[in-house]
Amino acid sequence: MYRPAQRLADIEPFHVVELLTRARQLEAEGRDIIHMEVGEPDFPTPEPITNAAVNAIKSGKTKYTEALGLPELRQAISAFYHKRYGVSVPASRIAVTNGASGALNLAFACLADPGSEWLLTDPGYPCNRHILRTFDGRPQNIPVGPETNFQPTPELLRQHWKPSTAGLLVASPANPTGTLLTLAEIEALAEVCRENNGHFLVDEIYHGLTYEIDAPTACSAGDDIWVLNSFSKYFQMTGWRLGWMVIPEPYLRDVEKLAQNLTLCPSTPAQYGALAAFEPETIALLEIRRAEFRRRRDFLAPALEQIGFRVTARPEGAFYLYCDCSALADDSYTLAKDLLEKTGVAATPGLDFGSNEPEKYIRFAYTTDVARLAEAAERLSRYFGR
Ligand SMILES: Cc1ncc(COP(=O)(O)O)c(C=O)c1O
């Protein structure tokens, strides 16, 4: 008997996985594939973090911790907010989670009533709508484009808000576009949420990976905002499965109860490793890598534009360029498949990020070094006969 829950019908796979499978097949046949579809840093986790985790394992720190995480790690995250953003976030409001994914699960488990509707940007991070669906909430798309830098505005929010709308989730910097919200923009969105008695969640997973300015944290815009973050991207710990969430005070006990039941606690060795993430020597290394990401972006954006891709939004952060490829092809999914076969360049088609003109866009991740990016640009130039 095969009878999965009805929600499974609404949960889609990542389309890029199909491309990835084909990329691996081609690699097995000896083809050289340039991976620009990957949404994780290519750098290894900094050594102070891995050393701290290994030492913790060797000294037997392998039992459960508190459900909301090690008190000293919550304290270290609180100190990080003070040092980096000059904002006071008490450790008691911080929950350590299983990545930003764990934070999203806990937030929606805590807030989403069956049938409640949640405003999400389209394009946006695809797992959001699936996590929401898992908790019987409903995604409500706000189509966003280059005219608003692929971010929602207060006007768009008012236009889309319905009586059944429970809240808004945004990301800054965003995936797939890398665009940022200013503090004034975050405050204006928060205001509309408050006017409507709605919740406001801000995903700051790409903080630290911004190249002109430091992204402002939504923690500065009110203590009623849910702020999600992760050790995955800036701290380059994707596989460690560790993140955190800043929770509005009234919900602390609710999230703690959920964490106790859903996960027991985040990984203990990963938490001990993360204690070294805020050490000056780790931050110094991460800042060197941040400069390298910037160098890659500054190389890749003009190189792609020269070929005929258009970078229509300001890619101020993350490690993605979301390019308009409509001058080059009718459908980005077909294009992505053909590029992989004929050039060995793997990229993610817009289809993975929503239903707002996905055929027009393709995402290139600069999670590979400049020499490989140059090779990719050369192959793409040849393919398009430039
Ligand atoms: C916008 C965004 N949020 C959340 C996540 C989840 O990341 P993790 O669970 O590794 O922290 C990702 C991963 O790519 C992402 O791009």
Side-chain angles (χ1 to χ4, degrees):
M1 183 195 83
Y2 172 69
R3 205 189 312 142
Q6 283 174 14
R7 66 173 64 88
L8 263 298
D10 298 328
I11 297 191
E12 291 158 44
F14 256 135
H15 297 286
V16 74
V17 172
E18 209 174 291
L19 282 168
L20 204 57
T21 309
R22 181 64 187 140
R24 294 215 177 98
Q25 250 170 21
L26 292 171
E27 273 171 333
E29 289 164 17
R31 286 276 302 279
D32 174 41
I33 305 299
I34 305 179
H35 289 279
M36 298 175 75
E37 80 286 25
V38 185
E40 64 180 335
D42 50 326
F43 300 108
T45 301
E47 223 176 298
I49 300 175
T50 53
N51 286 343
V54 169
N55 289 340
I57 293 171
K58 285 190 175 156
S59 58
K61 289 174 173 151
T62 52
K63 304 278 176 48
Y64 293 135
T65 66
E66 290 82 347
L68 294 184
L70 281 174
E72 54 268 51
L73 182 56
R74 296 168 74 195
Q75 198 60 56
I77 295 168
S78 165
F80 182 66
Y81 274 105
H82 195 262
K83 191 159 184 206
R84 184 152 281 203
Y85 304 99
V87 57
S88 167
V89 179
S92 60
R93 286 187 52 212
I94 296 166
V96 183
T97 58
N98 297 312
S101 307
L104 285 161
N105 274 277
L106 285 171
F108 284 135
C110 186
L111 301 175
D113 273 319
S116 60
E117 296 193 87
W118 292 77
L119 293 166
L120 309 176
T121 62
D122 183 353
Y125 178 58
C127 301
N128 291 336
R129 63 178 188 274
H130 298 140
I131 296 173
L132 189 52
R133 179 65 189 89
T134 304
F135 293 102
D136 293 327
R138 285 214 207 111
Q140 201 190 327
N141 285 341
I142 305 184
V144 288
E147 60 291 344
T148 65
N149 209 23
F150 289 96
Q151 290 285 1
T153 59
E155 295 69 42
L156 280 171
L157 212 50
R158 288 201 177 91
Q159 209 177 304
H160 285 84
W161 205 288
K162 297 194 292 194
S164 50
T165 303
L168 165 73
L169 167 63
V170 298
S172 170
N175 179 3
T177 56
T179 64
L180 287 186
L181 288 164
T182 63
L183 185 57
E185 287 166 339
I186 294 171
E187 283 168 344
L189 294 174
E191 221 24 70
V192 182
C193 292
R194 288 181 196 120
E195 277 165 25
N196 290 284
N197 280 325
H199 303 286
F200 186 26
L201 282 65
V202 183
D203 181 345
E204 299 189 344
I205 186 170
Y206 292 101
H207 268 223
L209 295 174
T210 56
Y211 309 114
E212 272 81 31
I213 49 160
D214 281 330
T217 175
C219 292
S220 309
D223 50 19
D224 54 348
I225 303 174
W226 296 66
V227 178
L228 293 69
N229 208 321
S230 178
F231 287 96
S232 287
K233 312 287 172 158
Y234 175 65
F235 296 99
Q236 292 146 29
M237 296 174 66
T238 43
W240 297 65
R241 309 309 307 127
L242 205 66
W244 73 85
M245 175 159 67
V246 179
I247 305 161
E249 193 89 38
Y251 297 95
L252 286 174
R253 184 70 189 127
D254 298 318
V255 174
E256 187 175 24
K257 278 194 301 190
L258 285 165
Q260 286 166 348
N261 282 285
L262 296 183
T263 54
L264 298 194
C265 75
S267 154
T268 301
Q271 291 189 74
Y272 279 100
L275 280 173
F278 304 107
E279 293 298 323
E281 63 170 321
T282 312
I283 298 286
L285 177 67
L286 295 175
E287 288 300 304
I288 292 170
R289 292 176 178 180
R290 182 205 314 225
E292 172 59 18
F293 276 124
R294 179 188 182 141
R295 212 159 71 83
R296 294 172 179 183
R297 182 201 61 171
D298 292 348
F299 169 81
L300 187 63
L304 289 176
E305 294 222 298
Q306 207 157 17
I307 295 165
F309 292 98
R310 284 180 49 234
V311 183
T312 53
R314 293 191 304 276
E316 292 164 307
F319 30 64
Y320 307 118
L321 294 176
Y322 195 55
C323 297
D324 180 340
C325 57
S326 57
L328 297 169
D330 292 333
D331 170 40
S332 62
Y333 188 50
T334 313
L335 176 67
K337 284 200 284 194
D338 206 45
L339 287 179
L340 178 62
E341 294 296 331
K342 306 222 171 92
T343 71
V345 173
T348 312
L351 197 57
D352 268 329
F353 307 104
S355 51
N356 175 20
E357 300 191 294
E359 66 290 342
K360 257 179 88 170
Y361 293 95
I362 187 163
R363 189 193 75 177
F364 291 96
Y366 40 96
T367 43
T368 186
D369 63 35
V370 169
R372 293 290 279 166
L373 296 178
E375 167 72 22
E378 212 171 288
R379 291 187 198 177
L380 294 175
S381 289
R382 252 181 278 132
Y383 173 90
F384 289 109
R386 306 286 149 124

